[in-house]
Amino acid sequence: MTPRGGGLGWASGMSETSRMGSGRVFPALPAHPDPRAPFATSWWGNAWIDALEESALDQARLARGRTYAREGAVDTITVAPGRIVAYVHGSRPRPYRAEIRMRTMLPEHWDRFLDAVAADPARIAALLDKEMPHALADAADRADVPLLPGGREMAPSCTCPDRGHPCKHAAALAYQTARLLDADPFVLLLLRGGEEQDLLDELSRRNAQKSAAEATEARRAGERRADPQPPSGEPPRGRSPEQSPEHSPEQSPEQSPEPPSEGGDGGPVLPGVLAREALATEYRSPLPAPLAPPPHPGEPPVLPALPGAPDPTALEFLITDAATRAHAFLTAAATPFPADTSPWHDAVRLAAFHPGLTGRRTFSRQFAELARAVGSTPAELSRASAAWRQGGEAGLAVLESPWDPPAGPFDRARGALVAADLPRMTIHRNHLTNAEGTLQLRYGTDGRWYPYRSEPGGGDWWPEGEADVDPVGALADVAEA
């Protein structure tokens, strides 16, 4: 069955971009420090918060999420059809990727919703003023259109290990989203699957169609009142046969309208600018100086999940890597693509600095897939990533390749440790290990000392702390921890 308007509902009258969802990106909102100030002041923003709090299984997580939101821990927010995504900063230095999913509306829902809006010009005016009138929401309810979220409709998720519903990071994102809804109800419509410009275009089309139909009906009604139908065979009342359309005399040349003025080529005369004036070099301003590089690489954009498209998390991972390489090239002239980097070294480098991949005992799906791609286990890749963070390729070599250092600084290290009242160490190749088997220093070919730690007698050595050219400095921080 073809929808009304020749199938011009959401399925065909709106653009492909709108149906697939390009999304909108909102910069991080400022902190909201006053604990007495509400997150939402509009009734529809409070309806969003009510749906969140009714579906939450743990009020303590909600309270922590409110604190995160008030402190401004939620980074840039991306809203796309059916989902909201943002990075949320928690207690750890690297942020987590929080997401909230909702069902989008079906084409028949959009058709009924747009009819409800177009039925009353005041509703269109309210939307243009960034308002969501109660009457519109009531009309949507009567038309069985799921506009506002119901209980249990929000589906939160997060890359943190907490499996709460929602965790505190997803709760913080939900509370900040209420502030976006307050400012612009089209955010809610976008979540349901509707792009703002496409909605306004469709409402304009329906409103014009309705106005044209009303004007046509009014004109026909006026014609019927002014000129009732005469009996069969008689000419219309008040008009002689000579004045009938078929007897209408031709219009005289004097009565014909004037043709529009034309240019030399037969077209209308239009204002213009000479090409030599538009391209005059003396009016060109010099290019500004290039901007200084930022102090740190930026966060990747949050990408929408589209049918048949690559995994957005994997794309964000690659974008982060490209931004890190570009920043290193701009600030330190570091070679962005070393020619001799092996796949294993590249995987370790990627895992060492991407916020969603680091870990020691809990690993994300992307981390496990990266390890599997280079023939390793997540634990081995995690240990290698920690070594890379200590000293790059030199730190990884210290982890993987024991060697026999020549006499000199290595031999003097034990005496320096004893003089500093640090544990006495035994020697094995380039390793110095304490008697309990919990602390170790490894001497690298770059002349730096790399601290390691293990459980007592376990021999499961993990890089911990910062490398240092001084063995005392390298071991002191780890020994005190």
Side-chain angles (χ1 to χ4, degrees):
M1 183 180 216
T2 304
R4 284 176 293 171
L8 289 178
W10 187 257
S12 60
M14 302 279 175
S15 71
E16 182 69 17
T17 300
S18 189
R19 281 182 281 144
M20 297 304 293
S22 59
R24 290 173 63 185
V25 179
F26 297 88
L29 295 172
H32 199 57
D34 186 357
R36 296 168 298 179
F39 277 97
T41 56
S42 64
W43 72 267
W44 59 89
N46 280 301
W48 170 272
I49 291 179
D50 290 344
L52 165 70
E53 296 179 345
E54 288 171 7
S55 63
L57 301 181
D58 188 341
Q59 295 300 314
R61 286 186 174 93
L62 277 186
R64 188 62 179 146
R66 284 193 293 269
T67 300
Y68 276 13
R70 292 189 188 281
E71 292 174 350
V74 181
D75 216 325
T76 302
I77 300 175
T78 297
V79 181
R83 64 202 295 262
I84 317 163
V85 189
Y87 281 100
V88 181
H89 297 267
S91 56
R92 297 183 180 181
R94 293 180 175 84
Y96 296 106
R97 185 179 187 274
E99 180 173 356
I100 298 173
R101 288 186 175 270
M102 284 176 53
R103 291 193 304 270
T104 56
M105 297 199 316
L106 299 173
E108 54 266 29
H109 292 144
W110 282 112
D111 199 47
R112 295 198 297 269
F113 174 75
L114 292 169
D115 280 347
V117 178
D120 187 350
R123 296 172 185 172
I124 301 177
L127 283 179
L128 292 175
D129 287 338
K130 306 300 184 184
E131 295 285 338
M132 177 77 73
H134 270 291
L136 177 55
D138 294 341
D141 285 340
R142 290 192 297 271
D144 194 24
V145 173
L147 187 58
L148 293 167
R152 299 282 179 176
E153 191 175 355
M154 296 182 186
S157 63
C158 185
T159 57
C160 75
D162 185 1
R163 292 295 171 260
H165 184 91
C167 71
K168 53 184 176 288
H169 310 102
L173 172 58
Y175 280 112
Q176 290 294 64
T177 302
R179 298 172 67 185
L180 298 181
L181 296 175
D182 249 5
D184 188 354
F186 277 101
V187 172
L188 177 60
L189 299 179
L190 177 58
L191 268 173
R192 289 301 194 186
E195 297 277 356
E196 177 176 352
Q197 192 55 53
D198 288 333
L199 287 171
L200 294 177
D201 290 345
E202 180 65 7
L203 285 172
S204 177
R205 186 194 66 79
R206 292 186 184 217
N207 193 47
Q209 202 172 49
K210 177 184 174 186
S211 300
E214 291 174 350
T216 300
E217 181 58 31
R219 178 175 56 79
R220 289 174 179 172
E223 289 176 351
R224 287 194 296 269
R225 287 194 301 270
D227 193 11
Q229 187 68 27
S232 179
E234 293 184 15
R237 192 175 302 170
R239 183 186 296 170
S240 66
E242 291 79 9
Q243 294 173 320
S244 297
E246 58 268 24
H247 296 96
S248 176
E250 294 186 4
Q251 193 174 33
S252 64
E254 292 80 12
Q255 294 174 322
S256 59
E258 276 190 19
S261 61
E262 296 181 345
D265 59 353
V269 177
L270 300 175
V273 178
L274 294 176
R276 62 174 176 269
E277 295 177 3
L279 300 177
T281 56
E282 59 267 28
Y283 296 114
R284 294 180 181 176
S285 302
L287 292 175
L291 297 175
H296 306 287
E299 294 286 351
V302 182
L303 304 173
L306 303 178
D311 180 7
T313 307
L315 290 177
E316 291 169 15
F317 168 72
L318 295 175
I319 292 170
T320 299
D321 175 53
T324 302
R325 294 190 191 210
H327 187 266
F329 179 73
L330 289 173
T331 56
T335 302
F337 300 102
D340 56 349
T341 299
S342 68
W344 166 245
H345 282 198
D346 205 38
V348 173
R349 179 189 59 79
L350 288 171
F353 297 109
H354 189 277
L357 295 188
T358 56
R360 180 164 177 173
R361 295 182 179 86
T362 304
F363 308 105
S364 67
R365 177 174 57 84
Q366 288 78 20
F367 195 102
E369 289 177 355
L370 183 62
R372 186 165 53 252
V374 291
S376 178
T377 67
E380 291 171 346
L381 180 59
S382 180
R383 192 193 313 266
S385 301
W388 191 281
R389 285 193 294 274
Q390 272 192 330
E393 290 197 34
L396 184 61
V398 166
L399 171 70
E400 298 179 334
S401 305
W403 63 294
D404 296 311
F410 182 77
D411 294 327
R412 294 192 292 270
R414 286 201 305 166
L417 294 173
V418 171
D421 200 24
L422 288 169
R424 187 177 296 275
M425 315 289 274
T426 60
I427 297 177
H428 177 69
R429 304 199 71 182
N430 63 322
H431 300 174
L432 297 179
T433 309
N434 70 344
E436 292 80 9
T438 57
L439 298 175
Q440 188 176 90
L441 284 178
R442 299 188 181 186
Y443 188 58
T445 57
D446 60 350
R448 293 191 294 171
W449 293 90
Y450 292 80
Y452 279 67
R453 183 186 287 276
S454 173
E455 295 297 327
D460 184 28
W461 295 104
W462 278 80
E464 186 164 329
E466 297 182 1
D468 199 322
V469 293
D470 177 17
V472 174
L475 188 62
D477 292 340
V478 179
E480 293 172 1

